[in-house]
Structure formats: C-alpha cells, structure tokens
Amino acid sequence: MRSIGKTHKSIRGFLWILPSFLGVVVFYLLPYADVVRRSFLGAVDNRFVGLENYKTVIGNTAFLLAVKNTLLFTLICIPVLILLALLCAVVLYKSKYGGIIKSAFLMPMALPAVSVALVWRVLFHSQGLLNHWLLGIGIAGSDWMNTKNAFWILLVSYIWKNLGYDIVLWMAGLAGISTNIYEAARVDGAGERQCFFYITLPNLKSSFFTITVLSFLNSFKVFREAYLVAGDYPHESIYMMQHLFNNWFRAFSFDKMAAAAVMESGVLLVLILLLQKAWDSKEE
C-alpha cells in the first residue's frame, strides 16, 4: 500500500511539472538542438560541412576581439559588483533607513535602456555636456565613446544599473542569519569585524553562489546600452559577443552564428558547473 501511495504521489508530482517541462522542451531544448544541427551545416545549401564552421569562427578576428572584450569585462565587473553590493548591503541592513535607500539603488533597473543610452549620448559624445564643461574650464574634450574610455564607461554603467539588484539579494541572505548567533558571539567578546568574518560571511555562502551566477549571466545583457549608443560597430574596446551575433544575423551568416552560440553556451555551462563543484567541495 505504501508503494502504491508513493507511486501516486510521484505521478501527481510529474503532472504538476509537466506543463513547465513541455514549455522548456518546446521553447528551449528543441530550438537549441536545431542550433547545434545548423552549426554543422552550410548557411545557404544546408550541406553537411562538419567542423568547418567552428574552424571559421575560431579564426575570425572579430570573434577573437569580442571574446577578449567580453572576458575582460566579466572578469573586472563581476568581482567589483559583488563586493561593492555586499558592502552596501551590510551597511544598509544595519541602518534604519535601509529600506528607503535600497529602493533608491533599485531605481536604475526601472529605467529603460533607451533612456540610459540617451544620457550616455548627452554626456560622453563629442557634443555632450561633459565635453562642453571641459572646454569651459580650458580642457580639450573628446568623443569618449570612440576612445578606450568607452570600456570603463560601459563598466561603470553596468555596475550602476545592477548594483541594487545584488544588494537586495545580499540583504535577503543577511535576513536569513539568526540574530541569536550575533548576540552569543558578542557575549563571548567578539567585535564587529570578527562577527563579519566568522558569522556573516560563512552564512552567506549559498547567497554568494546564486549572486555570482546571476551577475555572470546578467553581464551578457550590457550589449543593449552599448549598441544603442555606438551602433553596430562601436569602439573596439566595447565590441562584445552580442555585437558579433547581431552583425552576423544581419549578414545571414547563420552557420557561423550557430557555431559560435554552441561554443559560447558550452563554455558557460562548463564554467557554471566548475563553480558549483568548487562550491560543493568547500561546503564539505
């Protein structure tokens, strides 16, 4: 009887998740399988070409430039964003005005990407307000978005836009730590620094993994602002993977785009699995 009851529960559970599972299969898995199939075919005649598309992509200078810029942007912005958000979250969590200030940090996420791009144009292009101000104080201005400064502008914009989101996630993790632990530690003579390193940080491990993965995935969405400001071919310092895919799509280079997409998704999957494995080994 118990085995029959467990079987019925398993069937009911499967039926509950079946609609979502079918949606994932139809809208994600099947299209991805088609992309993998197309990565081995020619763009025009659908002739099987083996690994030729992958060789073409790897030897493409635009692809190598986009990979370099994307990796550099991710390696710099993710640690800065996570640490800055953690610092702000700890300060806001202890403040009685933390809820109000937290809402202010979330405001950039509510702004449309077009509005952000318009502000960039007004500030950093050759006819922008910043250049007029520099000329007014006797300093020669320049079109910032057509120099190497464009990379740092993009970096600051990403952090500014996503800082509030990570702060909320960190504060949710902080709220899950029992205050009794802090009270017991203070009774034993622990200071704020010791409480932070020996209580707060160890109890935020699960939050850290989630925030890192989400921030990593969100870093690939920065293309919108860069595209709206600088167009299809921006300065080489902010030429990202998304620019490359967009330009290949307009040129109907679906074979190269499919091969690059498969490689990128494979790298992302491996990185996330390695991060999860490293995280699980630390917890053990």
Side-chain angles (χ1 to χ4, degrees):
M1 294 295 293
R2 289 184 179 179
S3 61
I4 295 176
K6 290 182 179 180
T7 303
H8 285 304
K9 287 183 179 179
S10 300
I11 294 175
R12 285 200 300 268
F14 177 75
L15 292 176
W16 276 108
I17 68 171
L18 183 60
S20 298
F21 177 73
L22 291 177
V24 171
V25 171
V26 173
F27 296 106
Y28 288 94
L29 297 182
L30 290 180
Y32 182 75
D34 185 63
V35 170
V36 175
R37 182 184 67 86
R38 288 176 179 271
S39 67
F40 297 102
L41 304 177
V44 179
D45 53 4
N46 284 332
R47 180 176 54 86
F48 181 77
V49 295
L51 298 176
E52 193 63 32
N53 292 331
Y54 291 89
K55 294 178 182 178
T56 302
V57 169
I58 293 175
N60 188 283
T61 56
F63 175 77
L64 298 178
L65 176 63
V67 169
K68 184 193 74 172
N69 290 336
T70 303
L71 288 177
L72 181 63
F73 181 84
T74 302
L75 291 175
I76 295 177
C77 75
I78 298 303
V80 173
L81 176 63
I82 292 175
L83 293 177
L84 186 60
L86 176 60
L87 177 62
C88 293
V90 171
V91 174
L92 292 177
Y93 189 73
K94 297 179 180 179
S95 174
K96 62 179 180 179
Y97 302 108
I100 300 175
I101 302 176
K102 178 182 67 176
S103 301
F105 276 108
L106 284 172
M107 285 299 295
M109 294 195 67
L111 296 175
V114 176
S115 301
V116 176
L118 180 61
V119 172
W120 284 21
R121 285 182 179 274
V122 172
L123 285 176
F124 297 111
H125 270 289
S126 57
Q127 302 300 321
L129 292 177
L130 183 60
N131 287 306
H132 283 296
W133 178 77
L134 290 174
L135 291 172
I137 61 175
I139 301 176
S142 63
D143 192 342
W144 289 53
M145 296 307 299
N146 285 324
T147 65
K148 291 184 178 180
N149 294 320
F151 177 83
W152 301 107
I153 295 171
L154 187 65
L155 183 71
V156 172
S157 175
Y158 171 80
I159 295 175
W160 167 74
K161 192 172 180 64
N162 292 275
L163 183 62
Y165 180 68
D166 282 10
I167 288 176
V168 171
L169 295 177
W170 279 125
M171 292 184 73
L174 290 171
I177 304 175
S178 175
T179 56
N180 296 330
I181 303 177
Y182 291 103
E183 293 174 358
R186 292 189 179 96
V187 170
D188 291 335
E192 292 296 329
R193 183 177 179 181
Q194 291 173 314
C195 288
F196 178 76
F197 284 102
Y198 294 103
I199 298 177
T200 303
L201 287 183
N203 283 279
L204 289 176
K205 285 184 177 180
S206 58
S207 299
F208 177 70
F209 175 77
T210 303
I211 294 170
T212 301
V213 173
L214 291 177
S215 300
F216 179 67
L217 296 177
N218 285 334
S219 66
F220 286 84
K221 300 178 182 179
V222 75
F223 159 76
R224 295 174 300 177
E225 289 81 359
Y227 178 79
L228 290 170
V229 172
D232 297 332
Y233 298 96
H235 187 265
E236 63 176 16
S237 64
I238 58 172
Y239 188 78
M240 303 292 184
M241 288 295 296
Q242 297 89 336
H243 286 99
L244 183 70
F245 285 136
N246 183 69
N247 294 334
W248 277 349
F249 181 80
R250 295 181 62 180
F252 298 102
S253 299
F254 299 124
D255 49 351
K256 293 189 293 184
M257 189 166 60
V262 171
M263 286 192 292
E264 182 180 0
S265 61
V267 171
L268 290 177
L269 179 61
V270 170
L271 290 176
I272 293 175
L273 291 177
L274 288 176
L275 180 61
Q276 184 176 11
K277 184 177 180 180
W279 204 252
D280 293 339
S281 62
K282 286 183 179 179
E283 290 184 346
E284 294 175 359

